Amino acid sequence: MSGIAIGVLLFGVLLILIALRLSIGVAMLLVGMIGYVWLSGWSPLINYLKTAAYWRFSTYDLSVVPLFLLMGQFASKAGLSRALFHTASVWMGHRRGGIAMAAIGGCAGFGAICGSSLATAATIGQVALPELKRHGYSGCLATGALAAGGTLGILIPPSVILVIYAILTEGNIATMFQAAFIPGFLAAFGYLIAIAIYVRLKPNSGPAGPESSWQEKVSSLGDIWAVVIIFVVVIGGIYAGAFTPTEGAAVGAIATGILAFAHGGLRLDGLKECLLGTASATAMIFLIVFGADLFNAFLALTQMPAEAARMIGDSQLSPYLVLVTMLILYLIFGCVMDSLSMILLTVPIFWPILMGLDFAMDPEELKIWFGIIALIVVEVGLITPPVGMNVFIINKMAEDVPMIESFKGVMPFLISDIVRVVILILFPSITLLLPRLLN
Amino acid sequence: MTFTINNHQPDPLGRAVHASSRWFAFMGGMVLLGLALMTVISIVGRYFFSLPVPGDFELVEMGCAITVFAFLPYCQLHNGNVVVDFFTMNVGAKTRSRMDSLGSFVFCIIAALLTWRLALGGYDMYRYEEQTMILGLMRWWGFIPIVASLALLTLVCFYTGVRQWSNKSI
Amino acid sequence: AEVELKVHHFLPAPATAHAKFIQPWADKVMKESNGRIDIKIYPAMQLGGKPPQLFDQVRDGVADIVWTVPGYTRGRFPLTEVFELPFVAGSAEATSQASWEFYEKYMQDEYKDVHPILIHTHAPGQFHMRDKPITSLADLKNTKIRAPTRTINEALSIIGATPVGMPVPAVPQALSKGVVDGAMLPYEVTLPLKAHELVKYHTEIGGDRGIYTAMFLFAMNKKKYDSLPADLKQVLDNNSGLALAKQIGQVWDAADNPGREAAKKRGNQFNTIEGAELAALKSATQPVIDNWIKAMNDQGKDGQKMYDDARDLVTKYSH
Ligand code: NA
Ligand code: NA
């Protein structure tokens, strides 16, 4: 059997095992090991395993992941999610659909200090769902807005997926964060527009709330100073290069930890809760990263990525056609898979292919541009049926809303996502503006 | 995500597994918190006194490894690992639980393999006296908590596998 | 092909090591074997793992051949450090040949688990500083400097600088924002990192010896080598050892030129430490050498003799 045939065969086996409920990291480990033994032998495998996990887990760049997760945990304990949502409702609540818009605003704000999508959805969902219900919002709009808003946790830097992407492509984490900034805020803006249009079409789904006085509006800003300062210091510091992403995350974790302590949410029990929450999320991510390591080493042995890159390079296909095909594949896989494993599984195959095509673009810029577009598209998977993790999380919190309603509710946001992706593909300079300015 | 039907109280083994996983995760978290604190001190030292904590980068690397390994058992015990359940939504709860059980046993074998291999890897580090670049810390001592974490992970996978096989709560 | 060899290394394909050494070497071996040997090169750690694992990978047969930096695993290859001691290394051409001869004389035991094809160095590195030039020993005090080897880190500590350990890809960012005041690198590396655009001052070392270099090892799995038929072994042997060290040393010496030219073109300032300042630097870093000699003596070896030999060998191959 040729290496490529083995590669394709085991890729199929991997997908089947995942469909049969084997956890994704374990599935990649298992199949990677089988492939490795097949192509290289048993003794190379077990020798490789002596230190592979150790060195992978002791990677400076990856240490940013648990630190950002810890920062997110502390930020919830510090009551920052409540403050963010409250301020946003004071400013936007009087409009039609305003409380839902406030939920988006809260997600955007929380996303600016949290690196994960699920955490953002869950945290803002906790404070926003009861309010949306109280103001008579339809379950459809309420859960849809929160599920979609949760994706801002990844789209607005810091973002765990971008860290992984940068490591896979040997890119710079700080540059990826810079590039994500404008598209992230476009995402939030697009979601607000989606709500505005939706409530115009269905006025009953999002009634206007009471108007707040100017005094209330101004004083509400006082509650979110902490978020603003942390974002400016952490992300600003990373952008300006004053410290590495890991250092920024450490500063953020300590700062939010102190806030949480001052807020009263962080005593021994609270600390335990935060650390255990960080533990679960971190271990899940690192297990997948390690599994992908082994699986990708096996794929490299099959020569499949290099072969595929050569074949597509020779085929004279239009580069944009190849790119769009990849994005459609992401959308399809995104229906059932999680974003991290999709990135880990596909980037080692897709990236060499893209590098071999002529986009009339500097390779570093191509890396940034593709990374951001891929990020958006894999995040869409979090809200597409049948498996949309964000939708599941929010729907579970809103017990009286049927799942089908929630999936209907995310449709306007899905459309907004697609429009944004098209814009970013047509105008790469939107994504590249900030990295160009700052470097 | 798995939902279990029978809610038995965990047996003594279960209690021990739960307590030790929680303890490992908590200690790992404390290491992480320590790394964050050390990094902040290093930044302050660097900017104000031109004196970063010596070897700060390698401390982060080593500490991160210890932390992540310590987190693994807790994650497995609390169903933290990502599972695609779309294709098995229509099979019965009992069958699904059996599938998860098989998954846990597969992970158990892999964890046992890793425990064995990393123990040897750590022994190599000891034999060759491998050190970190700046501080010259012996790398092998980091393998002690790491191998302990992996041994616990193996036990946890076995425990979850057994519980899931008979569709009992973990 | 009769034999398939997997070559694994940590640099991207455009790097000197890949483009000017490993790829041409592989092409030559394949040709001279009349196609009986097939070599596949996996750059940028494609076969998995991180650079410090490369030595174990070739020892254990995870890869058949690797190109690596033995110094990545501090403590494991103490003898190899002799050419990394201050003011031992000369040009890459001379030092590479010297290190091969030194290997044959003293280091067979250190690398007994693998089959070395080549041991070589890069041309000596320099100080690349962002805000203030280094013209004397005193200038180095209280500066934060990123340095790549254990010995040069020790030297920096001894003379009152703060060595900062960080991965190479982090260096440009760290330089541009003053996380470090400078970095020690050969010009060969400053160009791809664009470090010359981030610094204003370069300090070179006068005389025929550099303050630091790093050793590289290009080695094959022992079992794999032993399993080859005699004529294929011969093909590999013809492309190993002293002659190869000379040729590859020249490649690395030449690789410095574009980097130095680019820095010049940008109008960066060049300084040289020489005369009394050089003497001061030498005596200030002498403890690093003494420590190494003592460590060797403690292992029952003749440290002083090996050190002197290493220096003499570099002289022998310098023209
Ligand atoms: Na974020
Ligand atoms: Na989905």
Side-chain angles (χ1 to χ4, degrees), chain B residues 104-122:
Chain B
S104 292
F105 285 126
V106 169
F107 195 15
C108 178
I109 293 167
I110 292 175
L113 182 67
L114 286 176
T115 313
W116 167 45
R117 295 320 293 174
L118 271 105
L120 285 182

Side-chain angles (χ1 to χ4, degrees), chain A residues 18-19 21-24 26 46 49-50 54-55 57-58 60 63 242 247 276 279-280 283-284 286 336 386-387, chain B residues 22 46-47 57 60-61 64-65 68-69 71 74-75 80 82 84-88 96 100 103 117 124 139 143:
Chain A
I18 290 174
R21 301 181 64 83
L22 195 57
S23 80
I24 291 175
V26 175
I46 59 169
L49 290 180
K50 270 204 264 189
Y54 170 79
W55 285 110
F57 292 173
S58 70
Y60 185 76
S63 63
E247 290 173 337
L276 293 180
S280 240
M284 182 267 280
F286 276 71
V336 294
V387 180
Chain B
R22 187 185 291 269
R46 187 169 80 213
Y47 276 101
F57 282 63
V60 167
E61 291 198 334
C64 182
V68 172
F69 280 105
F71 285 171
Y74 181 83
C75 178
V82 186
V84 171
D85 50 10
F86 167 66
F87 298 97
T88 46
R96 255 188 312 183
D100 290 344
R117 295 320 293 174
D124 272 1
R139 284 199 185 275
F143 277 68

Side-chain angles (χ1 to χ4, degrees), chain A residues 60-283:
Chain A
Y60 185 76
D61 279 346
L62 269 178
S63 63
V64 72
V65 170
L67 288 170
F68 271 137
L69 292 171
L70 183 62
M71 178 174 161
Q73 293 278 343
F74 283 156
S76 325
K77 275 275 176 293
L80 295 181
S81 44
R82 185 170 299 280
L84 281 163
F85 175 68
H86 171 72
T87 304
S89 357
V90 167
W91 282 81
M92 300 191 269
H94 62 283
R95 309 174 59 105
R96 206 189 281 152
I99 312 282
M101 292 179 180
I104 298 291
C107 287
F110 199 73
I113 52 171
C114 172
S116 127
S117 210
L118 300 182
T120 304
T123 311
I124 299 294
Q126 237 163 27
V127 291
L129 261 179
E131 288 297 300
L132 287 160
K133 198 173 168 187
R134 195 165 65 85
H135 286 91
Y137 276 64
S138 76
C140 180
L141 177 60
T143 52
L146 280 166
T151 65
L152 295 173
I154 287 279
L155 297 175
I156 294 176
S159 156
V160 168
I161 306 264
L162 280 182
V163 172
I164 304 289
Y165 176 82
I167 289 172
L168 281 175
T169 57
E170 299 191 297
N172 185 311
I173 297 173
T175 317
M176 290 311 300
F177 282 6
Q178 291 162 1
F181 192 81
I182 295 175
F185 276 87
L186 282 181
F189 189 62
Y191 289 168
L192 295 182
I193 294 177
I195 294 174
I197 296 175
Y198 186 81
V199 292
R200 182 158 290 229
L201 298 175
K202 290 192 172 179
N204 291 333
S205 62
E211 174 91 59
S212 303
S213 70
W214 272 101
Q215 205 187 347
E216 275 180 283
K217 285 184 184 174
V218 173
S219 81
S220 77
L221 291 178
D223 299 339
I224 58 161
W225 60 269
V227 177
V228 175
I229 289 179
I230 290 171
F231 180 73
V232 167
V233 170
V234 173
I235 299 299
I238 293 172
Y239 280 8
F243 32 69
T244 65
T246 297
E247 290 173 337
V251 171
I254 295 297
T256 45
I258 291 171
L259 273 179
F261 186 78
H263 181 262
L266 198 65
R267 296 297 177 259
L268 188 59
D269 279 346
L271 178 65
K272 264 186 194 162
E273 216 178 290
C274 288
L275 294 181
L276 293 180
T278 308
S280 240
T282 302

